[in-house]
Amino acid sequence: MSGPVDPIFKQIPKGSTSFFIWRIEKLQLVPLPRDQYGHFYNGDAYIVYSATEFGQPGGLNLKVKEARSLEHHIHFWLGSNVSQDEAGVAAYKTVELDDFLGGAPIQHRETEGSESQRFRSYFSNGIRLLQGGLDSGFHHVTGIFPPKLFSIKGKKRPVVIQMPRITWTAMNSGDAFILQMKDAIFIWEGETSNNMEKLQAAKVSQQFKAETGGKATIIFVEDGKEDELPDVEKALFDSQLPLKDKRNLLRSPTSFSDDLSEKRVTYDIKLYRCSDDDGTLRVTEVKTGPLYQSDLNSGDSFIVDNGSQGVWVWIGKKASSKERIEAMRNAQGFIRKKGYPDQTPVSRVIDGGEPEEFRSLFSRWKVKYEAVPFGRTLSSGPGKGIAHTVQTSFDASSLHQQPHLAAKVRMLDDASGIKEVFKVNKFKLVPVKNEYYGSFFEHDCYIIKYTSTGAAEHILLYYWLGLKAKNEDCGAAALLAVEQDNEVGGRAIQIRVVQGKEPPHFIAMFGGEMVVYLGDAEEHGYEPQKPYLLQVRGTSRHESRAIQVELRAASLNSNDVFVLVGENTSFLWCGKGCTGDEREAGKRMAAKDRVDIITVYEGQEKEDFWSAIGGKDEYASDKRLVVEDKISPPRLFQCSNATGNLRADEIINFSQSDLIEDDAMLLDVGHTLFLWFGSESNKSEQQATIELAQNYLKTDPVERDTDTPILAVKQGFEPPTFTGFFGVWDRTLWNGNKTFAEIKAEVQADQPKLIMEDIEAAQLNGHEFASCKKYTYDILSQKSTENLPKDVDPSHKELYLSEPDFEKVFKMNHKIFESLAAWKKQKLKKEVGLF
């Protein structure tokens, strides 16, 4: 696409971070006033543009500055009642803006109520989804202020949703709601609503008050205690939400299921290739998950179908201009063909500019120029594929001063702290003798209590599960770990470890002498019957460990070191592909038995070795390619069961302040899942989050290892291996946070009181007889408020009668009626059926 560019786009500074919002008005783009950023009307369409440094947050608080490289995002947002013409203009102008910026931006189609987490992250005070369109929101100019009902969703960045009608059927006891009138703002606290959403409702109410002149009275209403309100407040509340209707109309929390109850099963992620060789778009399925970066080809376009979680269109660098321009339209056609909901998220990305949300759908994604991770690297030239390592000194003291380093190397300290080892036996913990520390059996489960060194004390409770342990022992280990945690006042970090998936700190605790034996400890008394064969892995004391394998030549592997432990002599067998560091680790392991050690090199074995191992046999001799840990950008999810169902919402561009005190959070860093439990989170929520984490691994579209370590961390006791993923960590962050009860008390202490003389004016909310739209008596006299026109205030139906109809019904004109006392007017309205 080329041609004239809308002059409005020329205000975007080149080479600088920026954030703009435009609204479609009369099929033209118009800048949205800054004070309306975050307010979206369901009859309108908007374009939101964000340019930031790569991986950095955008939005209202963005500081404009020059940057060498930028990550561009264009969102076009469509309200549920927007016209087709305006929706078309929004889509067209998005393509025009994309073309103006060189075709590099990431495009997103956003729909009302289903906004992406990235979109919501732009607005630190949350977003408001409002009824109406272009002309809405300006009633204050004429003095008319119709009452409105809002629901409050979300805890950190609330979503404030204006209800289409003021009625009990729009409400439920699991949420907080705001009834806004001209002179009064009611905060209705659902019986089972959570404190964070009630706190947000209080903050939003204060914003409403400030925006309307600061004179309204904020009133808190507890579910079930409406009758305890003072007479004036009760009458005003009842005029909009009749208490006699509440019992029959109020919905239960379960009937309002939140849109993300839990992470969807995503085994069915699929990749499609797009082509238009003959002028017709053709979509061909390539494969189902897991997906790899190598599946994409720069000469083509692809669709990544993640079902209701979103559809992504990837445009290769060599794809045609037509494919790039029509990508979003083609994706929407794909959604319709698949029968997915219209609100399914749709995004377009360009080869080389993929955001984290897209890269996370792939098992391994290498970003150009990204730093090489810690650990082994692949060599080039002869012997490529064999792991070679360089030993460096390990300075544990730097980990607490540099938590980002602790997070990266996955080490809390140098693992030289105090440890106690227990074996799970008949639902009890049996202490293991110090001389057997580091010895594990695959049929058993163990708990290791570790107390760290250094200024900041941390207690770790590892529960290690053997691959062949009984289910009841695995369950007992988890329960006993909780008991141990309770004994130290809940300060411990609980870590689930499955055999073969031990994290670096766990291995390092045993100083290079960790061994996993076959069978169980009861059978062998912690010392397996000799002779036996150990396979050794690792290059230093911090990472060396061994596992017992079957005593036969077929168990050997040219890439590794093996120790054959006999009664009087041990053999150290060194494969051709092993390194000198691995041979040294093998020698340390063999030295444990204090017998003579004979070193044997592959290809130079003598008969005594073959005799000890049971004779010659074929074994694996191919060079081993290094299997790297999955290095992926960390992802944070907020988990809550406040509505009765556990839901998990991802937080984009997270920081420490996104950790909510009354929730559980899941931090996915690829090689490990951290579960963070806020101080106010409940036990059922914590247990449900543990189950969610296990299901999360099973359903991840990149086919994760289900034995990935899971660490439970409690608020206030976070180790540097966790805090390092949050940038600057403030230990005092939560100290000054006010509770909902404290905020409520402060607000109530500073509110003007409503008095009886003001109630009539308050109830009118600025409505005037002459300005109200007119309806027939038959329409207005209906008993159910559900059947009334949307713009009719149920408490003042008489205002919507024409002057002739008014005189016919009330036997007087409106001016005389208004001069009557309030009680007299109410009585007359009841008599004529307009109350």
Side-chain angles (χ1 to χ4, degrees), residues 799-815:
L799 296 176
Y800 302 87
L801 287 168
S802 65
E803 186 67 53
D805 284 346
F806 192 96
E807 292 187 13
K808 182 178 178 181
V809 171
F810 286 98
K811 312 301 181 189
M812 67 182 74
N813 62 34
H814 181 261
K815 189 173 182 180

Side-chain angles (χ1 to χ4, degrees), residues 753-770:
K753 298 295 183 182
L754 289 176
I755 57 177
M756 187 62 70
E757 287 74 10
D758 294 334
I759 189 159
E760 183 68 15
Q763 286 181 328
L764 284 172
N765 286 290
H767 284 300
E768 297 174 356
F769 180 75

Side-chain angles (χ1 to χ4, degrees), residues 417-423 429 437 446-452 457-464 480-481 483-489 491-493 505-506 509-510:
I418 302 169
K419 57 182 175 289
E420 299 174 72
V421 182
F422 304 89
K423 178 181 172 295
L429 291 182
Y437 279 13
Y446 299 82
I447 287 182
I448 299 90
K449 179 182 178 183
Y450 177 86
T451 305
S452 69
E457 180 186 87
H458 294 282
I459 300 174
L460 310 185
L461 284 171
Y462 291 98
Y463 54 103
W464 185 92
L480 291 168
E483 289 184 7
Q484 289 284 305
D485 185 17
N486 292 337
E487 288 182 9
V488 295
R491 295 186 295 123
I493 301 164
H505 187 268
F506 183 94
M509 286 192 300
F510 303 103

Side-chain angles (χ1 to χ4, degrees), residues 549-568:
V549 294
E550 188 177 356
L551 182 62
R552 51 182 298 210
S555 298
L556 299 174
N557 187 308
S558 295
N559 296 291
D560 291 326
V561 171
F562 290 79
V563 178
L564 198 166
V565 181
E567 288 290 348
N568 301 309

